Amino acid sequence: GFCTRSVRLFKALDRNRRVTAAPFQKSGTPASVGLTVEECEASAWAIASDGSRYRGAEAVNALVAAALGTAVPLLLYYLPGIRQVQNFIYSLIASNRSRLPGDQPYCTQHPAECR
């Protein structure tokens, strides 16, 4: 999942409302897209309308591509070397996300919607 600030950034990029962000902490959300809570806790996920699944840095690129309405971010991600660098940066951020600034967690803001 993304911190709320990340979701806000994607919403700002997505002026044509091409992306739907769903907090995985909301009861039933992971199962509704065929994922487990553990998979969602480990990585960000993007699921395209055609059923394609992306996780981690690739998911971030897929979300930006969808929000902007261009495949360029995903094409750049697939260039030799770019994927490795982005995956490394994503793993650093993901392993330290609890230390990064952000809004209150979703379940703190919406306790009735969480398991």
Side-chain angles (χ1 to χ4, degrees):
F2 291 105
C3 71
T4 305
R5 288 182 184 168
S6 297
V7 171
R8 286 187 197 143
L9 173 62
F10 284 114
K11 285 183 179 182
L13 291 174
D14 186 22
R15 295 184 180 172
N16 293 315
R17 302 192 195 280
R18 295 181 182 107
V19 175
T20 301
F24 78 86
Q25 299 91 339
K26 186 175 180 179
S27 184
T29 298
S32 73
V33 294
L35 295 170
T36 65
V37 171
E38 293 77 19
E39 288 172 316
C40 293
E41 287 174 340
S43 296
W45 285 84
I47 302 166
S49 58
D50 67 1
S52 299
R53 294 173 176 267
Y54 307 92
R55 71 185 255 305
E58 185 180 29
V60 174
N61 283 281
L63 289 168
V64 171
L68 295 176
T70 177
V72 171
L74 267 175
L75 294 174
L76 291 174
Y77 174 77
Y78 295 132
L79 289 175
I82 300 295
R83 177 189 315 215
Q84 292 79 5
V85 170
Q86 286 191 11
N87 287 344
F88 176 74
I89 293 168
Y90 180 86
S91 69
L92 284 176
I93 291 170
S95 63
N96 291 291
R97 80 173 58 109
S98 65
R99 297 181 193 139
L100 298 173
D103 289 343
Q104 292 181 9
Y106 181 82
C107 289
T108 302
Q109 294 179 36
H110 309 279
E113 295 182 15
C114 295
R115 22 173 178 51

